[in-house]
């Protein structure tokens, strides 16, 4: 069928409405298209609210269409927008954010301010699948739309050191020595580097325990990648019949258990495997948007992670309370006068704060993709801090939460789209709310 692409939707596809034939008037999502394009597509799947189609041919291309920067684009599940020039990608994300917020009734909005950086080589972390194919060790990701392994030869959104480490792993795995045989036992490998690519952490995952040779493997990796400062191995448990997701079980350590991630403002200790913002070029701009010009007596940093915002806020507030459920790194590093690290869930912390009738001047929150939810929003409404800064990586859950906060008397005064994930449909938003 021929389709005119009207706009992009969150998830990476273009939206069209067929004008004739089967499915007329229903919404159809077509990946790898751009607004204004006339395309030929084939229906592939019917969902409850829309149908999905695969792109067969672009009959009339957008001026924004460009040549993808990676040979695996389209087949790999990682990137979604490499067929669009970068300016168009940012415009698409801005429109999606605007539409998503307006869809829930948030129509009085400030102009969205896009914040951008380098579009390639930005990722400071990757997790690769490792498989032996016809006697050769390969690394890769999932094929688009499936769990099938896709061996890759490049990944241009990674910091160069990460791909260099992946190539070193393959070089070692090609050897028939003890170290090479150990490399071939792993099923996944994760690499994390500092912004300047001077330090590297490695996590490897195996499916069978009692595999000797991990330390020798790390020594060999260090010879190929001198930036490697530490590594750990973990056992991935077999899938249970109940399909319960079980966490990998740590086995062995080698070297340092984390690294110090330096910015021009602060140093952050990031334990191996712990969360840190993935874009090595925009971390400092994100900190600036959230903390610049803010000062006072008391600030709370909820879902604080390693203290990305807490440490900067502590320079201007008399007391900063940083709250993190997995707070081992935070409690070890966020210490001293005016600094309090609380290892608790945000719900637990706020429930107690409501009882104690505590009221900070500023609340910063950077939740995971699921957002903060109704219970947290109800507590925030009762606490009624003068200013809330909401950092979100999912516009759908953000819109849901912002509507509840708006009903509680908060106004959205600033909207920043921080493009931490170029070439993909993912986007980061910073929202400034005041009462």
């Amino acid at each position: 069928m021929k389709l005119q692409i009207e706009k992009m939707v969150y998830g990476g596809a273009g939206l069209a409405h067929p004008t004739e034939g089967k499915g007329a008037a229903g919404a159809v999502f077509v990946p790898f298209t751009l607004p204004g394009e006339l395309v030929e597509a084939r229906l592939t799947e019917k969902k409850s609210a829309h149908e999905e189609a695969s792109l067969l041919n672009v009959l009339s291309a957008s001026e924004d269409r460009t040549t993808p920067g990676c040979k695996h684009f389209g087949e790999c599940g990682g990137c979604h927008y490499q067929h669009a020039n970068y300016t168009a990608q940012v415009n698409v994300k801005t429109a999606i954010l605007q539409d998503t917020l307006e869809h829930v009734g948030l129509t009085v909005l400030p102009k969205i301010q896009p914040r951008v950086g380098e579009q390639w080589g930005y990722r400071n972390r990757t997790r690769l699948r490792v498989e032996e194919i016809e006697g050769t060790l390969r690394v890769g990701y999932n094929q688009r739309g499936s769990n099938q392994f896709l061996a890759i030869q490049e990944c241009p959104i990674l910091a160069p050191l990460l791909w260099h480490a992946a190539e070193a792993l393959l070089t070692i795995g090609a050897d028939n020595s003890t170290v090479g045989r150990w490399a071939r036992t792993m099923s996944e490998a994760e690499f994390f580097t500092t912004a300047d690519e001077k330090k590297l952490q490695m996590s490897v995952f195996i499916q069978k325990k009692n595999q000797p040779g991990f330390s020798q493997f790390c020594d060999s990796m260090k010879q190929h990648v001198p930036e490697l400062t530490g590594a750990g191995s973990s056992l991935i448990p077999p899938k249970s019949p109940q399909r319960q997701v079980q966490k990998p079980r740590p086995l062995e350590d080698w070297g340092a258990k984390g690294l110090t991630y330096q910015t021009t403002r602060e140093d952050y200790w990031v334990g191996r495997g712990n969360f840190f913002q993935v874009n090595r070029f925009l971390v400092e701009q994100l900190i600036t948007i959230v903390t610049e010009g803010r000062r006072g007596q008391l600030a709370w940093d909820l879902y604080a992670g390693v203290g990305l915002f807490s440490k900067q806020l502590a320079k201007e507030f008399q007391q900063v309370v940083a709250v993190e459920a997995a707070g081992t790194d935070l409690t070890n590093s966020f210490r001293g006068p005016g600094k309090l690290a609380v290892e608790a869930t945000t719900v637990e912390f706020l429930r107690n704060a409501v009882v104690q009738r505590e009221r900070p001047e500023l609340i910063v929150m950077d939740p995971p993709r699921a957002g903060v939810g109704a219970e947290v929003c109800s507590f925030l409404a009762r606490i009624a801090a003068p200013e809330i800064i909401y950092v979100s990586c999912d516009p759908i859950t953000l819109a849901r939460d912002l509507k509840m906060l708006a009903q509680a008397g908060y106004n959205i005064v600033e909207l920043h789209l921080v493009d931490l994930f170029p070439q993909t449909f993912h986007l980061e938003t910073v929202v400034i709310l005041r009462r």
Side-chain angles (χ1 to χ4, degrees):
M1 62 194 325
K2 289 182 181 179
L3 297 169
Q4 187 82 43
I5 304 300
E6 302 161 23
K7 63 180 183 179
M8 307 300 288
V9 294
Y10 186 63
L15 168 69
H17 288 87
T19 56
E20 58 184 26
K22 186 179 179 181
V28 180
F29 292 177
V30 191
F32 311 122
T33 57
L34 291 171
E37 291 188 329
L38 180 65
V39 303
E40 190 177 21
R42 177 183 291 120
L43 293 176
T44 56
E45 188 175 358
K46 186 173 181 62
K47 303 274 187 167
S48 57
H50 68 273
E51 291 183 288
E52 295 187 355
S54 60
L55 178 65
L56 298 177
N57 191 26
V58 179
L59 303 175
S60 177
S62 165
E63 293 181 354
D64 295 325
R65 183 169 284 275
T66 190
T67 303
C70 175
K71 66 177 69 175
H72 304 295
F73 178 66
E75 194 179 4
C76 175
C79 290
H80 317 91
Y81 287 160
Q82 287 192 25
H83 61 295
N85 67 54
Y86 189 51
T87 300
Q89 291 184 33
V90 176
N91 291 339
V92 160
K93 292 183 182 185
T94 302
I96 287 172
L97 178 59
Q98 184 87 25
D99 286 351
T100 305
L101 297 178
E102 290 178 352
H103 184 71
V104 299
L106 297 169
T107 54
V108 182
L109 297 171
K111 185 177 180 180
I112 297 170
Q113 302 176 56
R115 306 299 184 101
V116 300
E118 296 290 334
Q119 60 172 307
W120 301 107
Y122 63 86
R123 286 191 65 95
N124 58 29
R125 187 190 300 271
T126 186
R127 184 158 172 167
L128 296 156
R129 290 177 61 177
V130 184
E131 289 196 12
E132 193 170 0
I133 300 175
E134 297 178 351
T136 301
L137 199 63
R138 305 291 298 273
V139 295
Y141 299 121
N142 286 347
Q143 291 182 17
R144 188 174 74 89
S146 79
N147 290 320
Q148 295 296 311
F149 176 72
L150 174 69
I152 62 171
Q153 299 170 11
E154 64 177 357
C155 185
I157 63 173
L158 300 186
L161 179 63
L162 301 182
W163 185 248
H164 174 59
E167 290 181 317
L169 188 157
L170 296 180
T171 299
I172 294 169
D175 195 277
N176 202 32
S177 63
T178 302
V179 172
R181 288 192 294 274
W182 194 94
R184 293 194 290 275
T185 67
M186 73 177 70
S187 58
E188 293 179 71
E190 181 175 278
F191 300 107
F192 175 60
T193 184
T194 50
D196 58 10
E197 301 182 271
K198 290 184 177 178
K199 294 179 182 177
L200 179 77
Q201 278 283 322
M202 175 176 68
S203 301
V204 299
F205 302 88
I206 59 176
Q207 293 179 318
K208 294 180 180 179
K209 59 182 178 180
N210 299 324
Q211 301 287 331
F214 172 68
S215 180
Q216 293 90 330
F217 167 72
C218 294
D219 291 338
S220 185
M221 281 290 293
K222 176 76 172 177
Q223 292 177 5
H224 287 83
V225 189
E227 296 86 352
L228 183 66
T229 60
S233 64
S234 296
L235 178 69
I236 299 179
K239 292 181 180 179
S240 66
Q242 293 79 25
R243 294 186 179 180
Q244 293 177 330
V245 178
Q246 299 183 52
K247 290 184 178 181
R249 181 161 63 85
L251 296 175
E252 296 182 72
D253 282 317
W254 177 93
K257 294 189 176 183
L259 53 75
T260 300
Y261 198 104
Q262 295 180 316
T263 71
T264 55
R265 295 167 173 266
E266 277 292 340
D267 294 347
Y268 300 91
W269 174 258
V270 185
R272 188 183 312 115
N274 288 353
F275 174 78
F276 194 80
Q277 293 290 356
V278 75
N279 191 308
R280 64 194 181 107
F281 300 123
L282 286 177
V283 167
E284 298 199 33
Q285 192 165 158
L286 189 64
I287 297 170
T288 298
I289 295 169
V290 172
T291 64
E292 190 84 5
R294 293 182 169 83
R295 54 185 57 86
Q297 297 292 316
L298 175 62
W300 292 348
D301 183 11
L302 310 180
Y303 313 91
V306 298
L308 187 66
F309 306 121
S310 312
K311 288 191 172 184
Q312 189 63 29
L313 290 170
K315 297 176 182 178
E316 302 294 342
F317 282 81
Q318 289 195 12
Q319 184 176 38
V320 173
V321 181
V323 181
E324 172 57 47
T328 305
D329 283 353
L330 189 66
T331 52
N332 289 337
S333 64
F334 194 66
R335 295 175 173 177
K339 299 177 182 178
L340 176 62
V342 177
E343 190 165 6
T345 67
T346 291
V347 169
E348 291 168 344
F349 172 79
L350 291 179
R351 185 180 290 120
N352 184 63
V354 166
V355 173
Q356 299 297 326
R357 297 187 178 182
E358 297 176 13
R359 187 170 185 261
E361 291 143 280
L362 172 69
I363 295 176
V364 174
M365 48 192 193
D366 184 6
R369 199 167 298 282
V372 300
E375 190 172 11
V376 167
C377 285
S378 68
F379 286 139
L380 293 173
R382 292 170 66 182
I383 292 165
E387 185 172 44
I388 294 176
I389 302 178
Y390 191 149
V391 183
S392 167
C393 60
D394 188 300
I396 307 296
T397 57
L398 172 67
R400 175 203 66 198
D401 294 340
L402 289 181
K403 184 173 184 179
M404 288 185 279
L405 292 172
Q407 291 169 343
Y410 282 94
N411 298 308
I412 300 171
V413 296
E414 289 182 34
L415 268 174
H416 302 266
L417 189 157
V418 188
D419 194 25
L420 297 185
F421 316 97
Q423 316 304 331
T424 82
F425 71 77
H426 301 290
L427 59 94
E428 193 90 354
T429 310
V430 181
V431 188
I432 315 297
L433 303 111
R434 296 194 187 111
R435 292 179 65 87

